[in-house]
Amino acid sequence: MKSKVISMIPISTFSFSSSSIEISNKARRGCNILKAFEIAALTVLTLVSVAGASPFAYIANLESNSVSVIDTATDTVTATVNVGIEPSGAAVSPDGTRVYVTNCMSNSVSVIDAVKNQVIDTVYVGSYPWGVAVSPDGTKVYVANTASNTISVIDTATNNVTATVKVGNLPYKIAVSPDGKKVYAVTSGIPPDYQGNVSVIDTATNNVTATVNVEKNPHGIAVSPDGTKVYVVNSNSYPYYKGTVSVIDTATNNVKATVNVGNLPHEIAVSPNGTRAYVAIDIPGGYSGKGNIDATSHTGAVDVIDTTKNEVIARVSVGNYPYEVAVTPDGNEVYVVNYGSNTTSIIDTATNKVNTTVPVGRSPTAVGIGPVIKSSSTIGLNGTSFLNPVYQTENQTNDTRMTANGGTADKQKRESVPTQASIPFLNSIWVLVAVLGAVAFVKKKN
C-alpha cells in the first residue's frame, strides 16, 4: 500500500484587507473552474477508454494443456488457463464472454469465462474433437469429432449436446456462415486416396444438405464475411504436400477457383473486409518427398491471397511449423501460432511483416480472437443514460458502414474500423453534462 505524505507546514492565521479577500475569492473561483474542467476532461477520457476495449487472443497449447491469453493491445500474455488434455481448437463467443476449447485427448470442450479466465464447465462430445466454431448469435457451438466422423451441437445456454450430425471421414475443421444458417465441415479423407470434401449442414434441421469434393487431405476452412465463398486448404497428402486452396461458391456449392500456395499448408483466415486470405504454410521452400518432416527445423510462412484475383501476392516468414491463423476484428493484425517454436507471430497487415513474436505454451495449435467491445449510449425518458456494449467480431462490419482493412502490400487505402470507432455518446450534450457535473462537485467540496 502506498504511504500518504502529510504536510508538516504549520497553519497560521493572517489578516487581509477586503480588496485582498476579493482578489483571493476571484482566484479561488478561477481555480475551481480549472478543477471543474480537469474533472470533466478526466471524465471524457474515462468514457473514451471504456468505449473501446481491445480484444484478447486465446492460444490453445497442445502439450501444455493450457490456453495462453494475449492482450492484443500490448501483445503480452496476461493469463494462462489450464484446460483438458491436449487442447486443439479455440473459438470465442460473439460477445467475448466465453471461450470454447476442444481437448482432443479428453473428448471434451472446456468452457472458459473470459472475464475471470477460469474454466466454468466441461462438455463431453465425440471422439478426438478438434475444430470448433460458435454461431453468430452465440447460441450454438459446433465441434468436429475427428475419430467419430460427427459434429456435436452444443446449446450454450445449458452447455449440453443437443444434436449429433454424421458427416464424412475424419472431420477436421469447421466454420459457420455469417447468417448462421449453414455449417461447413471439412473432412480429410482416408487412405488410399485421401479424397477430401466439405459437408454442408443446415443448422435449422442439423442435416447434411450437400457434399462438395475438394482436393486431398484438406485441413483448414473459412467463410468469407459476406457468406458467398468458402475457402478450403488442401495439403494434398504424401509425398509432396503441394498445397492449394479451393474456393467454393456457396450459392451453387461448386469449386469455382483453385489457388496454389506453399507446401504442407494448414489453416486459413479471411480478413474482415474479405479482400485477403491468410494461409499457414509449414514448408514454404517445398518438400522433396523424402525423409520425415521435422516441425522444429522448418521456418514456416503465411501466404497472403488477394481474394479478388485468387492469387498469392505476398509471403511472410514466421516461426517453425505454423499451424493456425486468425485476423483481429479491425483487420490490422494476423496472429499465427507456431507449433514448432512455441510462439505466436503477429503480422502487420499493412506491411505484411512480423511486428512482434510472443512466447506461449508448448506446441500451440489454435488461436481464437474475441470481439472489439465498444459502447453506445441511449437516454431514457427520465434522462437516465445507459451505456450499451456493442460487439464486433472479425467477420462483421459495424453499423457506421465502415469496413475493416485486410492489409495490403501496396498503398491501398486503409478502410479500418478503429478500435475506438465512432463514439456516439461523446457529443456536445455529454460534454456539457460532464462539465456541469464537475462544477457542481467542486462547489460542494468548497
Side-chain angles (χ1 to χ4, degrees):
M1 181 179 293
K2 293 182 179 180
S3 59
K4 293 183 179 180
V5 178
I6 302 174
S7 175
M8 301 303 293
I9 300 174
I11 300 174
S12 302
T13 304
F14 301 94
S15 61
F16 297 96
S17 64
S18 59
S19 60
S20 297
I21 293 173
E22 288 175 3
I23 294 172
S24 177
N25 287 339
K26 287 180 181 179
R28 182 180 176 186
R29 285 195 297 270
C31 229
N32 286 344
I33 292 172
L34 286 175
K35 286 181 182 179
F37 276 104
E38 286 174 2
I39 294 173
L42 181 60
T43 302
V44 171
L45 290 174
T46 301
L47 290 174
V48 170
S49 66
V50 171
S54 296
F56 288 89
Y58 300 88
I59 315 297
N61 305 304
L62 187 80
E63 292 187 18
S64 295
N65 299 330
S66 68
V67 171
S68 298
V69 183
I70 299 177
D71 184 343
T72 62
T74 61
D75 289 331
T76 55
V77 175
T78 59
T80 300
V81 185
N82 292 325
V83 288
I85 302 174
E86 296 193 3
S88 49
V92 187
S93 63
D95 64 3
T97 62
R98 296 289 182 269
V99 182
Y100 299 90
V101 179
T102 53
N103 307 297
C104 65
M105 296 306 291
S106 297
N107 298 333
S108 66
V109 175
S110 295
V111 183
I112 298 174
D113 182 327
V115 177
K116 299 178 180 179
N117 284 324
Q118 294 178 353
V119 174
I120 58 172
D121 207 346
T122 300
V123 185
Y124 290 93
V125 289
S127 181
Y128 210 79
W130 198 273
V132 58
V134 187
S135 63
D137 63 3
T139 62
K140 297 288 187 293
V141 171
Y142 298 91
V143 179
N145 304 303
T146 305
S148 299
N149 298 334
T150 60
I151 305 299
S152 294
V153 183
I154 299 172
D155 183 336
T156 59
T158 62
N159 287 332
N160 291 325
V161 174
T162 57
T164 302
V165 184
K166 187 74 175 177
V167 292
N169 293 314
L170 304 180
Y172 190 70
K173 283 290 183 175
I174 198 164
V176 186
S177 63
D179 62 7
K181 294 180 179 180
K182 296 287 187 289
V183 168
Y184 298 91
V186 62
T187 58
S188 296
I190 58 175
D193 60 354
Y194 294 99
Q195 174 61 53
N197 60 57
V198 175
S199 296
V200 183
I201 301 170
D202 184 334
T203 59
T205 62
N206 288 324
N207 290 326
V208 175
T209 58
T211 301
V212 184
N213 284 337
V214 287
E215 296 186 13
K216 296 180 179 181
N217 261 148
H219 284 169
I221 189 167
V223 185
S224 63
D226 62 5
T228 61
K229 294 183 286 289
V230 172
Y231 297 90
V232 180
V233 178
N234 309 294
S235 69
N236 280 312
S237 188
Y238 179 85
Y240 299 112
Y241 301 100
K242 292 183 177 179
T244 61
V245 173
S246 298
V247 184
I248 300 172
D249 184 336
T250 59
T252 62
N253 286 326
N254 291 323
V255 175
K256 70 173 189 177
T258 301
V259 184
N260 293 320
V261 293
N263 290 51
L264 197 58
H266 275 286
E267 311 302 334
I268 186 170
V270 183
S271 64
N273 65 4
T275 63
R276 298 290 182 266
Y278 300 89
V279 185
I281 306 296
D282 289 340
I283 313 177
Y287 178 58
S288 65
K290 298 179 181 179
N292 295 324
I293 298 174
D294 184 358
T296 63
S297 64
H298 293 277
T299 298
V302 170
D303 279 357
V304 183
I305 298 174
D306 182 331
T307 60
T308 58
K309 299 177 180 178
N310 285 325
E311 62 182 37
V312 174
I313 59 170
R315 176 169 287 173
V316 186
S317 293
V318 289
N320 293 340
Y321 209 80
Y323 214 87
E324 188 164 88
V325 291
V327 188
T328 54
D330 60 10
N332 292 335
E333 291 181 320
V334 175
Y335 281 65
V336 187
V337 292
N338 304 303
Y339 180 92
S341 301
N342 300 330
T343 59
T344 296
S345 299
I346 301 167
I347 300 171
D348 184 331
T349 58
T351 61
N352 285 327
K353 293 180 179 179
V354 173
N355 276 351
T356 310
T357 300
V358 182
V360 288
R362 288 182 294 137
S363 304
T365 57
V367 52
I369 297 181
V372 170
I373 303 175
K374 299 180 294 180
S375 293
S376 64
S377 177
T378 57
I379 300 177
L381 295 177
N382 60 355
T384 305
S385 171
F386 303 93
L387 292 181
N388 306 310
V390 178
Y391 304 95
Q392 181 183 333
T393 65
E394 63 178 286
N395 286 330
Q396 292 176 328
T397 55
N398 71 357
D399 55 9
T400 61
R401 297 184 183 275
M402 291 185 291
T403 56
N405 174 54
T408 59
D410 55 21
K411 297 196 185 264
Q412 178 181 343
K413 182 179 179 182
R414 293 173 73 90
E415 299 177 318
S416 61
V417 178
T419 302
Q420 296 179 2
S422 132
I423 306 171
F425 58 86
L426 292 183
N427 52 31
S428 57
I429 294 176
W430 271 95
V431 173
L432 179 61
V433 169
V435 171
L436 292 176
V439 170
F441 174 78
V442 171
K443 283 184 177 180
K444 183 176 180 180
K445 297 294 287 184
N446 290 278

